[in-house]
């Protein structure tokens, strides 16, 4: 009987969702994480191991790693958000948190949370993905190299941000595999120099924790298995190094087996760009020469691994609500002067190097990240929002976590979520997102020493206008979920009253038929001038679909 062929790959979600796009705290180095590993294991059963409670992590993070409390909570909650939960469980937690009226009550509820200790150690370690090292930069290690290339939708080489580069993820794990395994060892398995020996044993619990980063398949089957399921599979014991006698894995054999089986992620960005279905959404503006390049992997991957990559959308309005997008990781890259509507529940969204564009998104279950964008308007409900190197962006959001302002941002404007479409509340239910708590107006400067305190503002109520999604859909949502904050609702009501007064004044002015006609032409001309001046005429023009493309764009 032929031996089964195992393929292993590095999962993308921990890096897309879990790795903050900043250089990690210096004490997330292997030296300190080893100390933390020993510390928590020596206090097994005290809330440190095998599950690490929030009070214990706060003690370690603030007392030993010198993090401030907000940053400690950010990493803890960020990892906790990677744990798969039902929508009901998420709604129950949202209700608990929204009922907390003081910081003390909030902390009391947080104290009930705990995470898997070993997986959390791995999570802290992979924060090094975005580590900036002066030494390696000078040596050239952080310059683009053939091994870490990725490919655009045109087939040309392009250097993605590391969180979306699955080739870089594979390289990162291969280069640090020994460290990752040693981090999971019992303290007595390490030598005085904190390194493993040839005879070190790795527990099944440690390999189970490594399933946080690695998964695989057998004989190139599309069925995905967690790493520990494969490693403990009887036909693979000889190669994975598992001993029925010791009920543990030989460190050296396990490491060799992992290295031999690690391969390119068949569901990653590279596979999506090479083999994914190219979605030819309609080009909707006459005179444009560029066409949007959109690839989707939903036809070839399990639903949990769906991916959509959009690039070079130029002066177009694109809209879609379909199963293709549902629960997909979406990357939107180099879009300019466009309006993009993705009206389905999404898993994560990264918007990179886009400018002068508006993005209206369905509820995003995990994170939206804006990177290197200029003059972008984002309208979305999401679990988390983070921003880096963005300028003059306006963010209309509803989120249960504080928006993260990372490095390199300028003139950000935060505003309340101000739109709806018929399926919105249903989509929010599928994504497990409630209307409370809502921290849209309480962003967090993650790197205060490198951030201007005036990097953001809250949109003044006088500048607030609601947004209308210009598409017909089936559904029950007829108003903005959760309503508007009182000051914005008041400003809106006052503006509506002024319009009514103006309409009444015109009606009672006693104009002749010819005067009314002249007045109407004057108003229309002024309105058209305003459309041209603000650039909004482009959006209105592009909403008129060509006959051949109407059905395709709406599908």
């Amino acid at each position: 009987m032929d031996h089964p062929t195992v393929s292993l790959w590095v999962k993308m979600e921990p890096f897309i969702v879990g790795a903050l796009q900043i250089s990690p705290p210096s004490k997330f180095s292997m030296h300190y994480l080893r100390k933390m590993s020993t510390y928590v294991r020596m206090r097994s059963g005290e809330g440190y191991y095998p599950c690490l409670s929030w009070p214990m992590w706060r003690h370690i993070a603030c007392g030993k790693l010198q993090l401030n409390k907000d940053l400690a909570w950010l990493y803890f909650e960020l990892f906790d958000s990677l744990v798969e939960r039902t929508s009901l469980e998420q709604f129950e937690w949202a209700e608990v948190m929204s009922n907390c009226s003081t910081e003390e009550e909030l902390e009391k509820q947080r104290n009930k949370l705990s995470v898997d200790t070993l997986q959390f150690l791995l999570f802290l370690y992979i924060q090094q993905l975005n580590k900036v090292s002066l030494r390696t930069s000078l040596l050239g290690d952080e310059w683009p190299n053939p091994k870490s290339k990725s490919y655009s939708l045109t087939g040309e080489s392009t250097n993605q941000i590391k969180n979306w580069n699955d080739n870089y993820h594979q390289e990162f794990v291969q280069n640090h595999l020994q460290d990752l395994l040693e981090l999971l060892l019992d303290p007595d398995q390490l030598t005085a120099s904190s390194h493993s020996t040839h005879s070190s044993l790795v527990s099944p619990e440690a390999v189970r924790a490594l399933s946080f980063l690695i998964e695989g398949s057998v004989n190139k089957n599309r069925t995905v298995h967690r790493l520990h399921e494969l490693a403990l599979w009887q036909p693979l014991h000889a190669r994975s190094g598992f001993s029925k006698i010791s009920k543990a894995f030989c460190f050296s054999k396990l490491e060799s087996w992992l290295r031999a089986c690690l391969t390119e992620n068949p569901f990653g960005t590279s596979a999506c760009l090479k083999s994914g279905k190219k979605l030819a959404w309609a080009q909707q503006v006459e005179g444009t020469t560029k066409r949007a390049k959109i690839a989707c992997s939903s036809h070839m991957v399990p639903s949990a691994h769906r991916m959509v990559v959009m690039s070079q959308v130029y002066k177009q309005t694109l809209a879609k609500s379909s199963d293709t997008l549902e629960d997909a990781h979406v990357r939107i890259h180099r879009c300019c002067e466009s309006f993009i509507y993705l009206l389905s529940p999404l898993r994560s969204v990264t918007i990179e190097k886009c400018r002068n564009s508006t993005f209206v998104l369905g509820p995003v279950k995990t994170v939206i990240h804006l990177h290197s964008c200029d003059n972008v308007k984002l309208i979305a409900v999401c679990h988390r929002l983070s921003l880096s190197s963005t300028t003059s962006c306006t963010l209309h959001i509803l989120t249960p976590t504080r928006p993260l302002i990372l490095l390199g941002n300028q003139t950000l404007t935060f505003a309340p979520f101000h739109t709806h479409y018929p399926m919105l509340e249903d989509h929010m239910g599928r994504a497990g997102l409630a209307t409370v708590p809502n921290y849209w107006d309480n962003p967090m400067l993650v790197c205060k020493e490198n951030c201007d305190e005036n990097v953001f503002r809250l949109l003044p109520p006088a500048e607030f206008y609601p947004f209308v999604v210009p598409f017909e859909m089936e559904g029950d949502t007829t108003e903005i979920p959760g309503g508007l904050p009182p000051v914005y609702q008041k400003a809106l009501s006052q503006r509506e009253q002024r319009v009514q007064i103006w309409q009444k004044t015109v009606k009672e002015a006693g104009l002749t038929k010819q005067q009314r006609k002249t007045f109407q032409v004057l108003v229309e001309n002024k309105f058209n001038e305003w459309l041209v001046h603000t650039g909004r005429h482009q959006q209105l023009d592009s909403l008129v679909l060509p006959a051949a493309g109407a059905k395709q764009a709406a599908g």
Side-chain angles (χ1 to χ4, degrees):
M1 181 179 177
D2 293 336
H3 289 293
T5 301
V6 173
S7 297
L8 302 175
W9 57 84
V10 180
K11 296 163 66 173
M12 283 201 66
E13 182 158 307
F15 294 95
I16 292 177
V17 176
L20 281 182
Q21 295 186 17
I22 56 171
S23 194
S26 60
K27 292 193 175 180
F28 281 10
S29 67
M30 188 61 181
H31 171 74
Y32 287 101
L33 291 182
R34 277 200 188 102
K35 285 189 171 184
M36 177 179 165
S37 178
T38 300
Y39 184 81
V40 295
R41 286 173 178 272
M42 289 175 63
R43 286 156 180 79
S44 176
E46 298 178 24
Y48 289 90
Y49 182 84
C51 291
L52 180 66
S53 68
W54 160 241
M56 300 303 102
W57 164 243
R58 184 182 60 215
H59 168 70
I60 293 172
C62 301
K64 300 184 180 301
L65 302 181
Q66 304 302 306
L67 304 185
N68 65 56
K69 182 181 172 183
D70 285 344
L71 194 58
W73 171 248
L74 170 59
Y75 282 108
F76 190 86
E77 197 277 335
L78 182 58
F79 174 77
D80 185 65
S81 69
L82 290 168
V83 178
E84 199 63 36
R85 291 186 174 88
T86 65
S87 295
L88 179 59
E89 290 173 328
Q90 290 175 285
F91 284 132
E92 289 174 346
W93 176 248
E95 183 178 4
V96 168
M97 298 304 284
S98 64
N99 288 332
C100 296
S101 57
T102 65
E103 184 66 29
E104 290 74 19
E105 291 178 358
L106 194 67
E107 195 68 8
K108 184 177 179 180
Q109 295 302 326
R110 288 176 175 178
N111 288 344
K112 299 176 182 179
L113 291 178
S114 62
V115 297
D116 182 284
T117 305
L118 296 183
Q119 289 188 7
F120 187 62
L121 284 167
L122 296 176
F123 164 79
L124 296 179
Y125 188 90
I126 68 169
Q127 300 305 317
Q128 296 183 50
L129 179 80
N130 291 305
K131 183 177 181 179
V132 177
S133 167
L134 178 61
R135 177 179 176 274
T136 54
S137 296
L138 291 173
L139 292 174
D141 291 351
E142 294 200 350
W143 287 88
N145 64 75
K147 291 183 179 180
S148 60
K149 280 185 179 178
S150 55
Y151 297 89
S152 71
L153 292 170
T154 61
E156 300 172 346
S157 173
T158 180
N159 292 292
Q160 301 175 359
I161 54 177
K162 293 176 181 178
N163 295 59
W164 270 83
N165 191 330
D166 50 341
N167 293 316
Y168 193 91
H169 303 165
Q170 180 184 347
E171 186 178 331
F172 178 87
V173 170
Q174 285 178 325
N175 289 344
H176 300 90
L177 185 57
Q178 185 174 347
D179 280 353
L180 291 168
L181 288 172
E182 288 181 351
L183 202 56
L184 303 174
L185 291 177
D186 288 321
D188 56 7
Q189 291 285 329
L190 297 173
T191 64
S193 59
S194 294
H195 286 290
S196 60
T197 64
H198 185 77
S199 59
S200 296
L201 297 177
V202 183
S203 69
E205 291 73 26
V207 177
R208 183 183 294 272
L210 201 57
S211 296
F212 170 66
L213 294 179
I214 300 173
E215 60 189 7
S217 65
V218 180
N219 296 333
K220 297 185 178 180
N221 191 292
R222 307 303 285 184
T223 302
V224 178
H225 300 277
R226 292 174 291 182
L227 172 64
H228 66 275
E229 294 173 342
L230 294 172
L232 290 167
W233 188 31
Q234 197 278 329
L236 296 176
H237 285 178
R239 279 175 283 173
S240 66
F242 182 73
S243 167
K244 291 183 178 180
I245 298 174
S246 64
K247 297 189 182 302
F249 295 85
C250 171
F251 186 100
S252 57
K253 281 190 175 183
L254 177 63
E255 182 183 4
S256 297
W257 177 68
L258 292 172
R259 291 190 185 281
C261 295
L262 273 176
T263 185
E264 180 181 283
N265 186 342
F267 311 126
T269 310
S270 300
C272 179
L273 298 180
K274 292 176 185 176
S275 308
K277 180 181 178 182
K278 301 299 187 290
L279 299 182
W281 286 357
Q283 180 174 319
Q284 299 175 1
V285 181
E286 293 182 5
T288 56
T289 57
K290 293 184 178 181
R291 288 188 63 85
K293 298 175 177 63
I294 306 167
C296 167
S297 64
S298 64
H299 67 292
M300 55 184 242
V301 306
S303 58
H305 296 74
R306 286 178 180 167
M307 189 168 294
V308 175
V309 181
M310 306 176 63
S311 184
Q312 300 177 41
V313 180
Y314 177 66
K315 287 190 175 181
Q316 297 180 55
T317 293
L318 300 182
K320 200 169 188 69
S321 178
S322 71
D323 293 342
T324 300
L325 292 172
E326 191 162 334
D327 208 32
H329 292 287
V330 179
R331 179 174 182 251
I332 305 172
H333 178 251
R334 291 191 181 279
C335 296
C336 179
E337 298 180 44
S338 295
F339 298 85
I340 296 176
Y341 299 80
L342 303 181
L343 305 181
S344 292
L346 309 168
R347 190 157 190 89
S348 76
V349 177
T350 297
I351 302 173
E352 179 188 1
K353 297 181 179 178
C354 296
R355 59 189 178 90
N356 304 330
S357 297
T358 295
F359 300 94
V360 185
L361 306 177
V364 179
K365 187 172 185 177
T366 58
V367 65
I368 300 174
H369 183 72
L370 265 67
H371 176 71
S372 294
C373 291
D374 182 23
N375 193 30
V376 158
K377 177 182 286 186
L378 171 70
I379 304 171
V381 180
C382 60
H383 178 75
R384 185 183 308 282
L385 172 71
S386 63
L387 307 114
S388 60
S389 303
T390 61
T391 303
S392 302
C393 292
T394 301
L395 312 146
H396 288 267
I397 56 169
L398 191 166
T399 176
T401 61
R402 297 177 66 185
L404 304 180
I405 299 177
L406 307 180
L407 294 174
N409 300 287
Q410 297 179 41
T411 55
L412 302 175
T413 298
F414 290 92
F417 184 73
H418 65 332
T419 194
H420 63 86
Y421 61 90
M423 289 291 290
L424 178 55
E425 288 174 312
D426 178 67
H427 290 170
M428 288 175 64
R430 293 190 221 173
L433 292 170
T435 58
V436 289
N438 184 6
Y439 292 110
W440 70 270
D441 56 350
N442 187 23
M444 174 180 175
L445 296 172
V446 177
C447 306
K448 291 184 179 180
E449 65 277 11
N450 297 311
C451 284
D452 181 356
E453 292 287 343
N454 299 316
V455 70
F456 75 91
R457 66 165 189 159
L458 301 184
L459 183 73
E463 298 177 22
F464 176 80
Y465 293 87
F467 186 91
V468 177
V469 175
F471 303 104
E472 292 185 358
M473 300 171 62
E474 294 183 358
D476 300 324
T477 303
T478 58
E479 57 186 19
I480 299 168
L484 293 171
V487 292
Y488 291 91
Q489 184 60 59
K490 181 179 179 181
L492 199 59
S493 298
Q494 290 175 342
R495 190 179 297 120
E496 290 173 350
Q497 289 175 0
R498 289 196 294 270
V499 170
Q500 291 172 359
I501 292 172
W502 181 82
Q503 291 173 333
K504 182 179 179 182
T505 301
V506 172
K507 185 177 180 179
E508 296 175 350
L511 301 178
T512 65
K513 184 176 181 180
Q514 182 59 42
Q515 286 175 326
R516 286 199 302 270
K517 186 176 180 180
T518 302
F519 183 70
Q520 183 178 355
V521 171
L522 178 64
V523 171
E524 288 177 354
N525 287 339
K526 287 294 183 181
F527 179 64
N528 287 326
E529 288 177 11
W530 176 80
L531 288 176
V532 172
H533 176 70
T534 60
R536 285 177 168 83
H537 75 287
Q538 175 203 328
Q539 184 182 17
L540 291 177
D541 290 344
S542 62
L543 288 172
V544 180
L545 297 176
K551 184 177 180 180
Q552 181 184 33

